[in-house]
Amino acid sequence: MRLNFKNEKCIFSIHEGSVPYLSFRALDDAGIFVNGFTTKLGGVSEGYLESLNLTLKKEGETREHVLENFRRLSEAADFDMDKAVLSDQTHTTNVRRVTEEDAGKGLLIKPDYGSIDGLVSDVPGITLVTFYADCVPLYIADPRKKAIGLSHSGWRGTVGRMGEITLKRMEELYGTDPQDVICCVGPSICRDCFEVGPEVAEAFREGFPEEYHRDIILGPVFNEAGEEKYHIDLWRANEAIFIMAGVRKEHIAVTNVCTRCNTDVFWSHRYLGSRRGNMAAFLSIKG
């Protein structure tokens, strides 16, 4: 598996098995978490979904293929597929508490929830799973209280400060102190690839203090049609959210892998539109 890195930071471990995936070294080194971000390689899905698509919400996908893909992934990453709990993402900032009773929901059991983009838990062995094809996965791990959060953050979720909302939910439920957590901003679309219109740029200006505008919002630039465009740095924006929420900068690992720059390895909505599969982020506390 060959990846184009945006810089030389060594923040990932690359797992080159039959189902390749990346894990964050900061979470690996903590010793009590299982974590990862999948590629589109190593599965059994067919056609435009070839090969490791991990969601049923795609036209032409079969339940048998998705279950087999999860079986292969769980075996490669050493987590219990029967205890996986899946999000139901609709670009909200809604966060759900996951307990033992939720084991298997979204994969083996029909979920009794909807419009959930973030999951938190303190149950060892439960694996939180969220889905991606350019949006930003946010991992939050509290080694002191042994609690975790995993959230999907597109540009709307980022403006809505999904990372801060997830962390506050962990504070409320588990007594998490932001000073103790390890936060990771996962593989997603980079600043160079994420071109937006002025209305999205304005949403970021309104959503972030002025001191961050220069880092997050680049532009304007004008394309060949003369349209006003901007580039948004979602990686920096989510790092800033964690810092403003009280997380230590040295406890934050920010991706240097872009999904749009690596379309041989990852699904990218910007590159393929709706005819593509979904990768997954996963996070659990070791049982």
Side-chain angles (χ1 to χ4, degrees):
M1 181 170 66
R2 297 185 63 181
L3 291 170
N4 173 26
F5 293 94
K6 303 298 289 188
N7 56 52
E8 296 181 353
K9 293 186 295 184
C10 295
I11 62 172
F12 291 109
S13 295
I14 300 175
H15 302 263
E16 290 270 20
S18 58
V19 180
Y21 69 96
L22 307 180
S23 66
F24 280 95
R25 292 182 175 181
L27 295 174
D28 296 337
D29 291 346
I32 62 170
F33 304 110
V34 175
N35 80 99
F37 187 82
T38 66
T39 72
K40 65 178 184 180
L41 309 174
V44 298
S45 296
E46 299 175 346
Y48 76 98
L49 295 168
E50 186 180 358
S51 66
L52 192 74
N53 167 58
L54 291 164
T55 178
L56 281 165
K57 296 182 178 182
K58 304 301 295 185
E59 183 179 356
E61 185 57 287
T62 68
R63 180 172 177 78
E64 291 73 22
H65 284 164
V66 171
L67 288 175
E68 175 60 17
N69 289 343
F70 264 98
R71 187 196 67 77
R72 293 184 176 198
L73 173 62
S74 63
E75 184 177 88
D78 195 24
F79 67 82
D80 188 345
M81 171 179 160
D82 293 345
K83 294 183 179 180
V85 180
L86 279 51
S87 59
D88 182 47
Q89 298 165 198
T90 54
H91 292 278
T92 69
T93 54
N94 298 330
V95 178
R96 177 182 173 86
R97 181 182 189 178
V98 174
T99 68
E100 296 94 331
E101 296 178 354
D102 294 311
K105 289 183 180 178
L107 182 62
L108 304 176
I109 303 169
K110 185 176 180 180
D112 55 354
Y113 50 84
S115 293
I116 295 295
D117 284 71
L119 302 167
V120 297
S121 187
D122 65 346
V123 181
I126 289 283
T127 299
L128 310 182
V129 182
T130 51
F131 300 99
Y132 303 89
D134 281 338
C135 290
V136 184
L138 301 176
Y139 303 69
I140 305 174
D142 181 351
R144 185 175 179 186
K145 297 293 186 178
K146 295 183 173 59
I148 53 174
L150 184 64
S151 289
H152 162 266
S153 186
W155 75 259
R156 292 176 180 85
T158 301
V159 168
R161 300 197 183 187
M162 182 52 146
E164 180 181 11
I165 289 171
T166 307
L167 182 56
K168 284 185 175 179
R169 188 76 169 128
M170 292 172 65
E171 291 180 55
E172 295 166 2
L173 292 171
Y174 314 124
T176 291
D177 184 337
Q179 292 283 299
D180 295 331
V181 299
I182 303 164
C183 293
C184 300
V185 178
S188 45
I189 196 165
C190 73
R191 177 192 67 188
D192 297 337
C193 294
F194 191 45
E195 184 180 82
V196 301
E199 69 285 351
V200 176
E202 184 58 29
F204 277 85
R205 287 193 194 95
E206 293 178 359
F208 285 83
E210 187 174 353
E211 64 190 276
Y212 291 106
H213 290 183
R214 182 174 295 181
D215 288 343
I216 295 171
I217 308 161
L218 285 81
V221 296
F222 294 88
N223 62 19
E224 293 180 358
E227 299 169 318
E228 182 180 347
K229 297 292 182 181
Y230 295 80
H231 287 261
I232 300 296
D233 193 335
L234 294 174
W235 301 354
R236 177 66 179 120
N238 281 286
E239 179 186 34
I241 289 166
F242 282 136
I243 290 171
M244 287 187 286
V247 180
R248 297 179 183 179
K249 184 177 176 61
E250 63 269 24
H251 288 184
I252 305 171
V254 180
T255 183
N256 56 353
V257 176
C258 170
T259 47
R260 176 62 182 85
C261 290
N262 291 278
T263 54
D264 289 342
V265 176
F266 299 118
W267 302 109
S268 169
H269 184 79
R270 279 284 168 131
Y271 181 61
L272 293 169
S274 61
R275 288 188 63 80
R276 47 83 188 159
N278 276 355
M279 286 93 63
F282 56 91
L283 179 62
S284 65
I285 306 162
K286 291 182 179 180

